[in-house]
Amino acid sequence: VLLMVISFFIILSLLHKKDKQFLSIVLKIPVVGNGDVTDFKSYQHMLSTGVDGVMIGRGAQGKPWIFGEVLAQKGQTIFVYL
């Protein structure tokens, strides 16, 4: 089952904008976009493909503050509890 889920996400990452919107409607499950999200502009682009959410992966490896950057652009903040 895990292999099927991983395969699905790999295929989803290769799809075009219209295909992601189609999958979201047909599957009736949340579709999460992932890949090449390195700043707010690429985050917005991923959202424009019709996905329900955006997952940031490798973009955070070289730029761990990307989460705060995206939230700040959206007018939100991150609270850190130590």
Side-chain angles (χ1 to χ4, degrees):
V1 173
L2 181 59
L3 184 57
M4 287 175 28
V5 171
I6 292 171
S7 299
F8 175 76
F9 281 112
I10 291 171
I11 292 168
L12 182 61
S13 68
L14 300 174
L15 296 177
H16 296 288
K17 179 178 178 178
K18 287 187 278 188
D19 297 328
K20 288 178 185 177
Q21 289 172 335
F22 174 75
L23 273 179
S24 183
I25 293 167
V26 170
L27 293 177
K28 296 183 181 163
I29 61 171
V31 175
V32 178
N34 185 20
D36 297 327
V37 179
T38 56
D39 55 16
F40 185 68
K41 183 178 178 182
S42 56
Y43 168 82
Q44 284 183 311
H45 174 71
M46 183 62 72
L47 277 180
S48 74
T49 64
V51 295
D52 298 302
V54 176
M55 183 172 22
I56 300 173
R58 282 180 289 176
Q61 286 181 332
K63 193 175 179 183
W65 56 87
I66 187 172
F67 304 103
E69 178 184 303
V70 168
L71 288 176
Q73 292 285 333
K74 291 175 59 178
Q76 299 173 345
T77 58
I78 296 177
F79 292 98
V80 178
Y81 299 97
L82 303 175

